[in-house]
Amino acid sequence: MHTKDKALENVDEFIEDIDNAQVEQGAAISTDSKYVEEFTEEEQRKIIHKVDRRLVTGLGLLMGMCLMDRTNLGSTSIAGMSKDLGLESGFKYSLVLLIFFVPYVLVQLPVNAIAQNVSPRHFSCGVTMCWGALMVGAAFVDEWWHLMIIRALLGAFESSLYASLLPLLSAWYTRYDVHKRFSISYFISCLIAALGPVLACGFMQMDGLSGLAGWRYIFLMEGVLNFAAAIIGWLLLVEYPKGSHKCWMFLTEKEEAFIIRRIDADRGDAAEDIKFNLREFLRPAKDWKVFTYPMMFLMSTCVSYSIAFFLPIILQSKLKFGVTAAQALSTPPYVVAGIWMHFTAWSGDRYHIRGPLVISNCLLSIVGLALLGWVASPGVQYFGVILVTSGSNANVPTNLAWLANNIRGKWKRSFCNALLIMGGGIGGIVGSLVFRSQDAPTYRPGIVASIVASIITMGFAVVLMLRMHILNKKAATGAIVLEELSGFKYTL
């Protein structure tokens, strides 16, 4: 128990470091101006950190396993899978990568509609168990097309996780607290994913044990880890704010009421309990702005996925590292990326900005890609890998937070999250194709494609900021009401 208490204190300290301005951003505000908050500022922080420990940690854990499983083909490839399954010829390797994202995109809208009527705790942990079983099955494939089938099913289940958890996280926090939470959860997931190559390096040492190749043990052991993560996630995750006091060892009824007052003061949708209506679910499609977020997410994930999929291969074939070194050196860029995400999230919530961060992350990615593509020194090229990994991955929580800041309502949030994840899935399809085996060892076309994607992302961000600035000015004069809430302003 002492160890567990100490671990929880460490989580509190980590979140406290990036959350000093939290109460100033609306924690003590009530929707009723005559209401005097019964909790002190210190008590409010403790309540919010109680939510953080359960929700942010649980989401980060499941997202991390999801990301590790999705991007482990680079490790299994250099561990012998490509040779054993004949993936070295033609487009087979890229097809195995690509097929994951086809069902990932196609199931997103219907799954979002379903997931909002099911307990997010049970739903997310259930799909984690399912893809854990698929990972175990991948350890025993004999043909490359068997792996394609497993990857297709894996895409459907992993897409379902985001349909359940992203709206849940958005529902619990005010608009200028949510970027830090998305960043922390994504940072946790990146740390777990960054351990993937290191774990793969260890698992592949089991080569020959019970007659199985080392790459098969990577799939097998990661499948087992998914089962464990699903159980831990079920213990950590909670439901939506309304009725959350019923969750095991969580909030009291008074603490739940405080959370609801706090969110209602920010955007007025904390206690929504609206039954599914197809027309209401699809109504946000009339607003062109909601499509700019998935377009930016598409371009951002195109870069981040391409790096994640091909980093071990690039380190081995382009930078000439050995297999073990390539596996090990795939981890540090994600550690640095986590630190950069932490800084951008703090800046975004502190100064209420999103678009400028998207642009700065794109510029960082472009510099990194230029170093990787046009500098001969392996050390400088590796530094370029760190820059592009940091910039592209930091844009993931930034895009999520920007969307969460500028929408209201349960079903609009669900629809827009579905579009966003669909955009990410299409980005994964593009990312799985940009670094082609025939372009080795320079991979110049893939690097150029990633630079173009970053430039397009910046263009969308500029257009969206200009449009929202105009709408905010109109709302300030009373000419229009934004998001059906008087006083609401878009975050730029």
Side-chain angles (χ1 to χ4, degrees), residues 172-191:
W172 272 95
Y173 296 101
T174 60
R175 288 182 295 157
Y176 299 116
D177 288 337
V178 74
H179 193 176
K180 291 191 289 287
R181 271 62 192 195
F182 275 127
S183 183
I184 294 170
S185 61
Y186 192 66
F187 175 57
I188 294 171
S189 72
C190 282
L191 285 179

Side-chain angles (χ1 to χ4, degrees), residues 17-93:
D17 288 342
I18 66 168
D19 207 26
N20 291 328
Q22 183 166 298
V23 174
E24 296 175 10
Q25 295 169 352
I29 301 174
S30 170
T31 51
D32 182 353
S33 58
K34 297 179 181 180
Y35 185 87
V36 178
E37 183 56 65
E38 62 183 297
F39 295 106
T40 65
E41 290 187 3
E42 182 61 30
E43 289 171 334
Q44 292 172 41
R45 293 181 191 274
K46 288 182 178 180
I47 294 169
I48 296 163
H49 290 166
K50 190 186 294 186
V51 176
D52 292 335
R53 286 196 298 270
R54 294 283 293 270
L55 183 59
V56 177
T57 307
L59 187 143
L61 172 65
L62 297 187
M63 283 177 59
M65 297 308 301
C66 181
L67 192 58
M68 180 191 292
D69 296 341
R70 188 182 312 173
T71 58
N72 62 7
L73 287 188
S75 296
T76 55
S77 177
I78 64 175
M81 180 187 70
S82 290
K83 183 179 179 181
D84 289 352
L85 298 183
L87 298 177
E88 296 174 325
S89 60
F91 289 92
K92 291 180 181 178
Y93 181 77

Side-chain angles (χ1 to χ4, degrees), residues 72-89 93 138-139 141-144 147 200-201 203-205 207-208 212-219 312-313 316 323-324 327:
N72 62 7
L73 287 188
S75 296
T76 55
S77 177
I78 64 175
M81 180 187 70
S82 290
K83 183 179 179 181
D84 289 352
L85 298 183
L87 298 177
E88 296 174 325
S89 60
Y93 181 77
V141 298
D142 294 319
E143 300 288 344
W144 72 276
L147 186 60
C201 187
F203 295 149
M204 63 187 284
Q205 305 306 316
D207 182 51
L212 293 179
W215 65 267
R216 296 183 184 275
Y217 275 106
I218 296 175
F219 283 134
I313 297 172
Q316 185 185 26
V323 174
T324 302
Q327 298 276 32

